[in-house]
Amino acid sequence: MLAPIVRSSFYVSRVVGRSSGLLSTSALSGPSSERNLYTSRQASQNKSSAATMYETIEKGAKNSPSYSLYFKNKCGNVISPMHDIPLYANDEKTIYNMVVEVPRWTNAKMEISLKTPLNPIKQDIKKGKLRFVANCFPHKGYIWNYGALPQTWENPDHIEPSTGCKGDNDPIDVIEIGYRVAKRGDVLQVKVLGTIALIDEGETDWKIIAIDVRDPLASKVDDISDVDQYFPGLLRATVEWFKIYKIPDGKPENQFAFNGDAKNAEFATSTIAETHKFWQNLVNQGGVASSISTTNISNRNSDHHISKEEAERLLADAPNGGEVEEVPDTVDTWHFIHLK
């Protein structure tokens, strides 16, 4: 009964907030922290800029291994969402850009492709088939908007002192808990609230908890303690989701550092800053062979910097068509998990 309670609380908290005026984005009176300096006008500007700064281009047939989602910036240049979208969305470095890979309540395991030049979003393939995440009762697909922070990298050669495990060789993951269901490829501006540390097959896999700055509750939440107040049950459901989501695939339940407790915003932002430094070393590593494509158009110190024309050619050469796989109805199966 965990998730029904979460969903009910999630909805009721908003209804109560609206009736009491708690969710008014125009009533941001009184002193507040620097991380909370968003008036309704600024939020509207953020919404407009987020909608126009980046666009996506689909190549290949949907539901096929050829499907790819490429990115262009506001100048119409083809870019890498991992290397060319800035990590920070404001000069104060208090707001972050998030690339949405998987919208809430969907199952297709989409992710930034690390090996493909310009790192389009592609669907993960497992045993030759497109991968879908199982529905573990009472959850449906992903229970938040899920994605990554650009210009970050969890270094697999670095042992994280707080967890005792190495990085997982991916951009740092982020879950966005606002009420809007995002679209694949959206670039959201988010406020970081905290993090949990999943230990996935012996690797540290940070899950940053954040909220879209346009969300009506963004002005109310500044730290992880606020999440339980305004989103009661969501942190508990999040830990449960990550613990059990691979069990239907025959894998054991996932483990967590810190007994599954979430760390606060200060800890999370420090972790992000460290992974940003790791990314800087990665993208500027001077021709060293890597399993990650660092092709980009904006980092001129990188050996893998290319011209805008070359980036356009990479998009033009990306495969079209593809063998479409029928999505099996088993994707909708509810799996009932009994934890020991």
Side-chain angles (χ1 to χ4, degrees), residues 106-119:
T106 63
N107 298 78
K109 184 68 173 74
M110 310 295 295
E111 56 191 14
I112 291 173
S113 176
L114 300 183
K115 295 182 179 181
T116 307
L118 294 176
N119 314 107

Side-chain angles (χ1 to χ4, degrees), residues 33-109:
S33 67
E34 181 181 333
R35 298 175 66 248
N36 199 23
L37 295 178
Y38 272 83
T39 64
S40 59
R41 181 177 180 182
Q42 286 172 313
S44 176
Q45 290 171 343
N46 287 333
K47 181 176 180 180
S48 175
S49 63
T52 58
M53 193 168 292
Y54 303 101
E55 63 174 310
T56 55
I57 301 93
E58 293 180 317
K59 295 296 294 282
K62 288 185 177 180
N63 300 321
S64 82
S66 299
Y67 178 79
S68 299
L69 191 67
Y70 284 83
F71 287 72
K72 284 187 175 183
N73 61 18
K74 64 181 179 181
C75 298
N77 300 317
V78 183
I79 61 170
S80 161
M82 181 175 179
H83 304 304
D84 292 315
I85 295 176
L87 169 61
Y88 299 105
N90 65 346
D91 292 336
E92 296 77 19
K93 298 184 178 181
T94 56
I95 303 300
Y96 298 79
N97 284 314
M98 169 192 177
V99 178
V100 176
E101 298 166 312
V102 187
R104 188 168 80 231
W105 295 328
T106 63
N107 298 78
K109 184 68 173 74

Side-chain angles (χ1 to χ4, degrees), residues 26-252:
S26 61
L28 303 183
S29 58
S32 184
S33 67
E34 181 181 333
R35 298 175 66 248
N36 199 23
L37 295 178
Y38 272 83
T39 64
S40 59
R41 181 177 180 182
Q42 286 172 313
S44 176
Q45 290 171 343
N46 287 333
K47 181 176 180 180
S48 175
S49 63
T52 58
M53 193 168 292
Y54 303 101
E55 63 174 310
T56 55
I57 301 93
E58 293 180 317
K59 295 296 294 282
K62 288 185 177 180
N63 300 321
S64 82
S66 299
Y67 178 79
S68 299
L69 191 67
Y70 284 83
F71 287 72
K72 284 187 175 183
N73 61 18
K74 64 181 179 181
C75 298
N77 300 317
V78 183
I79 61 170
S80 161
M82 181 175 179
H83 304 304
D84 292 315
I85 295 176
L87 169 61
Y88 299 105
N90 65 346
D91 292 336
E92 296 77 19
K93 298 184 178 181
T94 56
I95 303 300
Y96 298 79
N97 284 314
M98 169 192 177
V99 178
V100 176
E101 298 166 312
V102 187
R104 188 168 80 231
W105 295 328
T106 63
N107 298 78
K109 184 68 173 74
M110 310 295 295
E111 56 191 14
I112 291 173
S113 176
L114 300 183
K115 295 182 179 181
T116 307
L118 294 176
N119 314 107
I121 291 177
K122 297 173 67 72
Q123 189 164 356
D124 190 25
I125 296 176
K126 181 179 180 181
K127 296 180 180 179
K129 295 291 185 181
L130 298 176
R131 183 181 170 196
F132 296 87
V133 166
N135 302 307
C136 295
F137 182 85
H139 308 301
K140 171 66 175 77
Y142 286 71
I143 60 175
W144 356 250
N145 297 312
Y146 187 78
L149 296 182
Q151 297 189 342
T152 62
W153 179 52
E154 297 189 59
N155 187 351
D157 295 324
H158 170 74
I159 302 295
E160 168 55 41
S162 64
T163 66
C165 297
K166 62 183 180 180
D168 72 348
N169 201 35
D170 284 329
I172 201 165
D173 296 323
V174 56
I175 60 178
E176 192 281 312
I177 64 174
Y179 84 89
R180 295 177 178 88
V181 177
K183 296 179 180 179
R184 183 184 305 148
D186 278 355
V187 179
L188 305 180
Q189 295 180 334
V190 299
K191 178 194 291 188
V192 168
L193 306 174
T195 186
I196 56 177
L198 177 67
I199 305 301
D200 189 356
E201 300 181 8
E203 298 176 335
T204 303
D205 189 3
W206 296 108
K207 307 296 181 184
I208 302 297
I209 300 163
I211 188 168
D212 188 334
V213 296
R214 302 169 299 167
D215 192 271
L217 287 181
S219 62
K220 301 294 183 181
V221 290
D222 288 311
D223 215 325
I224 201 66
S225 59
D226 300 322
V227 176
D228 269 335
Q229 179 180 356
Y230 290 97
F231 301 84
L234 183 58
L235 288 178
R236 186 163 55 98
T238 295
V239 170
E240 179 190 77
W241 192 95
F242 280 115
K243 182 177 289 187
I244 66 178
Y245 83 106
K246 289 185 178 180
I247 292 179
D249 297 326
K251 294 188 177 182

